Amino acid sequence: MFNAQIFTLYPDFFPGFLSKGLYGKAMSENKWKLKIVNIRDYALDKHKTVDDTPYGGGSGMLIRPDVIAKAIDNNIEDGEKIIFLSPKGKLFDQKKARELSKEKKINLLCGHFEGIDQRVVESRNIEEMSVGDYILSGGETAAMIVIDSILRLLPGVLGNNSSVIEETFENGLLEYPQYTKPQIWEDKEVPEVLLSGDHAKIKDWRLSQSEVITRDRRPDLWRKYKKD
Ligand code: SAH
């Protein structure tokens, strides 16, 4: 069973989508488990303060290291993987999703305000991970991205496993265009090759479409694909 534990100041954010539909079903089948830890429960004073102003000046607040450490130490065993969602982390991608889907348990720490005190990152051996080159108001949406992309890779969670293999990024290319019924819609026809029943030809066509799209939209992926 895959275990996800999320440390957040906004615990209400999570259960919704993750406990319904496919992921809810997978949860009731014990394929995965979610635990939410409210960081505020580990505040050290009676006002439940979790943040304070940055040393050295600057705008905004930071979450205190002692509060985070207490939350971690009460909910994590030695050696567990802890990931802090942070725009200055290493970029999360499909390969990383696959890697993480093989873990027994992952712990995701969601920052808020201006972030968290750096010392706790070091002292608790926390890995920083970013979901993209943009700034979010908190790590919750980033954690959702990470969990969503992992869960769909767990065995038996999606009905059809080949759909997971053929997707964008899985072979280093963006996905080819897809079509369904009706065969003619607003005068546009589905590409003829897809109606041919010739599987080899369809495969070639899809690959060439993937290549054109990747070269055009993602020169970074294209260069890597050509090199490998
Ligand atoms: N001052 C920080 C940004 C803080 S944003 C900086 O300049 O690096 C507040 C919180 O949102 C962060 O602590 C982090 O948990 C989350 N966050 C924002 N952007 C993110 C991203 N691209 N990937 C992952 N987490 C992000």
Side-chain angles (χ1 to χ4, degrees):
M1 178 168 20
F2 179 79
N3 282 277
Q5 180 162 259
I6 304 175
F7 294 77
T8 175
L9 289 171
Y10 295 87
D12 294 345
F13 181 91
F14 289 97
F17 168 71
L18 292 174
S19 59
K20 297 195 174 75
L22 274 180
Y23 295 158
K25 181 164 169 280
M27 197 183 258
S28 64
E29 292 166 354
N30 292 325
K31 296 200 169 91
W32 80 290
K33 206 162 85 190
L34 176 67
K35 191 174 162 211
I36 310 286
V37 175
N38 186 349
I39 296 172
R40 200 171 295 280
D41 290 345
Y42 297 90
L44 301 151
D45 63 347
K46 67 172 194 295
H47 304 293
K48 298 270 171 213
T49 310
V50 293
D51 57 334
D52 218 317
T53 52
Y55 280 113
S59 64
M61 305 292 271
L62 295 166
I63 308 182
R64 295 167 55 112
D66 46 2
V67 176
I68 292 177
K70 192 174 166 205
I72 287 177
D73 296 345
N74 275 280
N75 292 284
I76 293 184
E77 311 264 311
D78 274 355
E80 286 182 21
K81 198 179 234 344
I82 315 176
I83 294 168
F84 170 46
L85 281 319
S86 153
K88 64 180 205 290
K90 277 203 190 147
L91 264 189
F92 177 68
D93 60 11
Q94 187 64 19
K95 187 167 158 251
K96 187 77 182 176
R98 242 180 219 294
E99 254 171 63
L100 293 177
S101 73
K102 308 216 162 80
E103 295 280 335
K104 267 204 177 66
K105 180 173 179 193
I106 63 166
N107 295 284
L108 299 173
L109 173 57
C110 304
H112 233 89
F113 320 116
E114 277 314 304
I116 68 177
D117 185 295
Q118 191 65 33
R119 288 169 294 181
V120 72
V121 173
E122 289 152 21
S123 81
R124 295 302 185 272
N125 198 16
I126 297 174
E127 174 183 340
E128 290 186 65
M129 200 165 80
S130 165
V131 294
D133 292 339
Y134 39 76
I135 307 292
L136 304 164
S137 62
E140 288 74 16
T141 40
M144 189 63 112
I145 288 171
V146 171
I147 293 191
D148 187 350
S149 58
I150 291 173
L151 291 182
R152 59 194 300 292
L153 295 174
L154 298 178
V157 168
L158 292 193
N160 177 359
N161 249 341
S162 69
S163 67
V164 170
I165 311 273
E166 287 209 357
E167 253 142 6
T168 291
F169 303 131
E170 290 294 350
N171 60 356
L173 293 171
L174 304 181
E175 195 179 59
Y176 45 81
Q178 305 234 62
Y179 303 88
T180 184
K181 292 191 176 63
Q183 194 180 321
I184 301 174
W185 176 73
E186 292 193 346
D187 290 337
K188 287 185 203 299
E189 292 193 32
V190 169
E192 215 179 303
V193 56
L194 299 178
L195 310 172
S196 69
D198 183 335
H199 294 295
K201 235 165 86 185
I202 292 174
K203 206 167 161 222
D204 283 352
W205 180 83
R206 285 179 164 167
L207 178 62
S208 70
Q209 290 286 310
S210 277
E211 290 184 344
V212 169
I213 292 170
T214 308
R215 195 171 54 210
D216 186 46
R217 297 182 188 170
R218 292 291 300 272
D220 56 326
L221 293 178
W222 181 245
R223 271 191 302 272
K224 208 161 156 266
Y225 174 74
K226 293 303 276 180
K227 220 172 68 201
D228 291 349

